[in-house]
Every structure is written in structure tokens, then in C-alpha cells.
Amino acid sequence: MDGGESSTQQTPVIKAGWLDKNPPQGSYIFQRRWVKLEAEYLRYYDSDKDMYSKRIIKTSCIDNVASTGDQKFEVATSNRNFVFRAESDSDRNDWIKAIQQVLEDRKSRPASSSVYNPENVDKCGLLEMKGWKPKMFVVVATDKVFLYKNGEDFVSGVGITSIDMNLGNVKEMDKRSFDLTTPYKTFSFVADNEQERSEWVEAMMQSVAGALSNLEVAQKIWSEESNRMCADCGAPKPDWASVNLCVVICKKCAGEHRSLGPSISKVRSLKMDHKIWTEELIELFLKLCNEVSNKFWAANVPPSEAIDQWSSSPERKTYISAKYREGKYRRYHQLFGNQVELNKALCVSVATTDLTETQALVFCGADINCTCGELFFSQPLELALQAGQKLQEEFLKQNRTSEIPRLDLGTNLEKQYYVMHHSITHNGYLYKTSSMTRLVADRKAKEEFSRRWCVLNDGTLSYYENNHSSTPNGEIRMDEIVCVAVIPPDTHGYESTFEIYTKSERLYLFAADTPEEAREWVKSITKCFLPLKAEELLSYDFDRIGRLQFKGGRSLERSRVGWFSLCKTYLYTYVEDNETVEVINLRKLVELSTKDKDILVLVEKGRITYILAERKLDFTGWAAAIQKASSTSGDTLSEQQLTDSDVPCIVEKCIDHISSFGVGSEGIYRKSGQNSKITSLLEALKKDARSVVLTEEEHVDNVSDTLKRFFRGIGEGVFAEHCMQWLHVTGIKDESERILKYQELLQILPPVNRATLKALVRHLYCIQHFSDINQMSIHNLAIVFGPTLFQTDGQNYKPGRVVEDLISLYLPIFSVCTRDKGLKLVTMYLSH
């Protein structure tokens, strides 16, 4: 069907009234019908109260309308004639005149394309509908759903009814069925299989989103004449855009742009993605409009390779990939190939209004993150900001992570990363839900899974109704998979579940009867898409594994593709040109943050890694999993976020704050802070100590009480299971023997406990040096920290004696010499 404006704008009714209609069964039997004439359709209903018609006739398909006598008139189409009878000859003539006027008006308008126009149809096909015996031909077209008796009626323009989707709601039901619900009626459909059901549901949900969209941004963008035609195929009224390439595109071309990945083309809707369309971005699209952008991107397109709005999907894919991924048709800048000069020219261009020059420089290889050494504001983005060039700034921001087109990529890009192992086979029963386009947020009950016979063979995972079925319900190609995730036990109704993410932004949730079966399936599937050299990643007991685009180093260099494996709190990485697998301890990150929702920044000591959102769905899953793995996961010391020296971040932050602002505070650690503030501070630090900033305004008594409360609540305590042995040392009278025994016990502590104890005692060793000011001698500190570290009620004197020994004998017990960095810091602090 022809796509129109949003259905929220009601089509005006030209004429409406009661008519008798002669049905096909007999020429003398008339049935009373409520008839409505609009510019696009002639509809008739059982009554004037009905929302949905019994028949809908497209006016462009009406060949003729003429009187047949006795108050009757006939509407003729290519395959059927409709006979109506009015109450009088006068009323009949009014109807004929109104319909003829609509037909005349259509002739005066530009010729429209065929009714069966694939550009306007999102999905069509046969579906069962409850209450309707033969299968119905259903068409999803922009913001409407049309129902026809069959495909021939669709082509001839004679249907049953249309459903405006601005009030629609789509819901998956059991197995193959789904409901389209409106305030007036529920339409219940049944598809042939689950995969078909999922595709129909997705198409209708997109139609709902389109119906609720806003035309304000689109109308502003379309105010530039060249933006009214798709930059790639020329289709009218394109309502999508690539915000980094600065081209306005139609829905069909947008699908191919998405398959390039957001590092090449960031696709956004003019009607639905309202928040991203700032005034600067809209103005940028009016300046770098389709006509201007195509003078760069399509400067050298051979006529034989160009596409139009009727081109097939494979033709679009080939053309769009060549145009933007390879840059095959672009206008080359005269400095192309000279990196130094390209960068210099970019630094000059961004300070001017010449956006076309900046576009050509960036997409011919100039580095957006280059440094112009002789300038104080050294990077292009800073130079644009300094020069007040807001549109240059906007263009650079949209292209911070863009890949530069390279002819050597061509169609072999995927082969570079995927080497399918066709020899790997596996089969058995799994349980499967419908595929999804977003992360699984809710618990899936057993009833939501369907038992399927699954076969992994020849690089494809196929799932069947049972092991006797010959035709699969659906399949997943291994070269489409970008990530596999093992879900924690009991997350869903089945204990053992795993997820598969694909390049087409779909998520498949599977379950197995046992953890062993699930792990075997996961490893078999992963072996099929993982490069041979990266198979070391399989040796880890991973929670998530897959392909990600990333940038490494201290600056945003060119992006690369790597294979990542998340195992507990460690992230293992393999890159094609590296011989070894690198590892990041996520608990020891200095910083973990997200930029612009599509870059995950992992900062280690001496290294930064940027993980880029090549696809939204699996990136969101990775970001959430990495965030969780880097967070505190329990109440023992080793389960906290850690510094590079194995000390919990919460401990180091509190110690640093007190060392800076509380050493001279009288009664430090003895005086109590404000309970409500201590509670909220401890909660914040436990949730994400890495991101908490303790300012000078934070009272030291609140921080000191927070540190004490943390140690009191630590699972197993600092001294772990050897607690009693530490207390027995106090009975040794000889100091040298006590020191040796303490050293022996230190060595059998877990590494994190040992590092934490040393950091705390070193801090207390510093505090007691200022006892003349803060009144906290070694004895006073021991009275406070003895019961705290040993988690006792303070009735036993031995915990205090242990802490007193640890502070007074800090240097020999912890083997601190004058070359020790920690001692130098303490000595330096004391000298000031």
C-alpha cells in the first residue's frame, strides 16, 4: 500500500451515508451498509458505529463509476464490480459526482506508483486470523496494517480493512500466536512458526513506533530540497539519516547502513529519535545536505553501479558498502595519502565555516584526534570550540569513532574475522524462547520456553519442532554470531541458560536440562565462530565471549577488532596481530565509564582501552557485564574493588582522606561521626568506591567511622581463619620471637588481606606520630582498632595487644627498610 503521513492525522471524509449494497451472491439481495468516501479509499461498514470496515477499495484502482438505473450505481475495479443503491436518484447522482471528482483529482496529481510497491511495504504474507477460516493476506505498511482476502486482492487494491497503528499494541502469545490490540477490537493472528511470529511482531511494533512518531524534525530536514530524496536510491520522503556521514536516507537503505555498523554509519530516525536532533545537528544537515554530501560520497559513481528506489536488497547492500565502507566513489582530497599534511589541513579547516573541506579531510584519512603541536588548543575539536564553529564541532563529535573508508576492505571484511569450522557438529534438545531485539530484563518462566531439537552442522545452528521434523523452524548462521553469554544459574525458570547475539541485532535465549549440557553447547557454538588463534580464550571458564571493536593506547587511535572473553573479574583479549592473549583485572580498574552511550572506557594503570558500540544490543550486554564484574561482589576483602597494590579502594580512599585532612584532628578514630552520613557514605563506597570522590567538605570523623564500620562488617575479618593464632602471639614474651611469628602469620594471609593490613598499619603508624596534636597514641589506637579488626565486643584485651604490636613494631614485622617507598612517603609526610 502507499505510505502516507502519520495516522494520528485523520484523513478527511469527503462523503458518508447509508447505501444498500448488492452482494456477489445475488442481484436482488441488498444489504444496508454505512459508506465513507475519502481521497484514498472508499470503505463500507455494517454500521456507522463500526471502526473497522467490511471492505476497503483503493480509489486509484477504481476504473469507472456509472449509473445503472433505479437509484443504483456501479463502482468498477480491475477484478470486481460493486453495485450500490441510494435512497433516491438525487442521492445516487451525488455519490457518482463525488467519486468521479476524486478520480479526476487523482489524475491531476503526479502519477503514483503501483499499489504493490515494495518500498512502502514493511512486511506482507499469509496469516491465520481467529474468526476467519481461510488464511488472510496481511500487509504492514508504514503506520498501518491492511487485511486482504488474498494476494490478488492486494494487487488489485480491494481489501477488507485497515488498522491505524497509533492506538495499536502488539503482544506475543503462546507458541506461534500474537495479538494486535486496539481500543476497539483485538486481532488474533497465528504464524506458521516461531521465527515468522517474531518477524511479524517486530514489523508491527515498528509500525506502532512509526505511527507515534513526530514529523517536526523531518519537516525541518526536508526544508532543504535535496533532503527530500534518499541520498542513496532517490526514494521520496526519506525519514532516516546517518548522523556521522550527513546523508538522509530511506528505510530500505537505512537497513543496509545499519549492517555496516555504527563505526561506519550511525543510523537515526528523523521521526522517532527526537532527543539526538539538536538545533546544531539539524543545521548541519541543512548545510551538508544530500546534494553537498553526494558531491563527496558519490562523485564517481558509474551509471551501471547506481541504484534506485526499486533496487533489490543485495543491490543496495553492494552499493552502500562500496560507497561508505570502501569509499569507492568518493572525491579524493588532494592531500590523500599524506597523513601529516591531512592533519595540518584539518586543524586549519575546523576553525573556518568550510564544512565540505572538513568532510573531505576526515573521510580521506585525517585524524580527528591529531595534535597540532604549535597551537595551544591542540586538537581539532578544541580548535573548533575556540573558533566558535558550532557546526564543525558537531560534525567532529559525530565522527569521533568513525572508521575511514578503505578500498582494501571490500567484501572480505567478515572473512577477516570469521573462520567457520564446518566440521564441528552437535545435536540434542534445547529449550528456546522467541528471539528478541533488546536485553532480557525479566525472568522467563519455563512456560515461555519451547522444546526444540537443535542441530549444529555445517556452520549453522538449526532448530526443529522435534527430532523427526525435516524442515527447521529457524536457523542461526555461525558467521552471524558476535557474542555468546552464559547466564547465572536460576536467572530464569530453567537453571542453565545461555544467550546468542547476532549481527542483525537479535538475541536468542536457550536453556538446557543440565549445566554440563549448556556448557557443551556453548563451547561447540563458540568454536564455530572463534578464529583458531583465539581458541586460548576457550580455556577460561568464561561468562561471555565474542567480538568487539576497540581502541587501545593513551589516545583514540584507529579502531581494531578483537575477541574478548569475560571470566569472573578478568577480561581476556585476543587481537589478530598479537601473539599473546592480554588480560585486564576489572576489579583493579582506575576508572570505568561510558561516553555518549556508545564508548566504554576502561582505564588501568598505564593503559586505556576504549570498547566501541559496533552494534547496540551486544554492546549494551557487554557494558552491563563488565560493570558488574568490576563492582564489589561480596563482603570479603578480595571481593572489593581493588587498587593496583591489592588494597580495597574503599580502604585507600578513606585512608587518603584522613591522611590529608584528619591527622591533626583531636580524637581521630575515637570520636564518632554522624550516623546517617556514615551509613550513606558506606553504601556509596560499597556500591562503587571507584567513582566516589571524597572532598575536603566531608568531615573526617564521618570518614574514620566509615572505615571502622567497613572493617567490622568484613566477612571472615582481616585475619581470616587464622584469627586465634594472631591472638596467641601476644603470650610470647620475647619481642624477636613475636616478630617472627607475626611475619609467619602474615605470609599465610590471603594476598588482599595482607596488603590491606599493611596499608592500614602504615597509616596508623603515621597517625600515632602526631599524638601530641591528635591525642591518639599507639595505645589509644589499639583500643579502637583491636575490637574493630578482630570484630569483638572489646572485653578481651588481646586484640588491642596485637594491634599495639603491629603499630609499634611496624618496621620489622612488615620488613620495611629505608628503601621502601611507603616508608619514604611517611617520612616525607612527617618532615612537613
Side-chain angles (χ1 to χ4, degrees), residues 322-340:
K323 184 176 179 181
Y324 302 108
R325 172 179 274 162
E326 301 172 40
K328 183 178 179 181
Y329 315 123
R330 64 186 155 170
R331 174 177 56 81
Y332 284 90
H333 196 279
Q334 60 186 358
L335 297 176
F336 181 79
N338 189 332
Q339 190 67 55
V340 174

Side-chain angles (χ1 to χ4, degrees), residues 609-620:
T609 302
Y610 301 87
I611 294 178
L612 312 179
E614 188 176 0
R615 295 157 303 275
K616 182 179 178 181
L617 184 60
D618 65 295
F619 172 80
T620 305

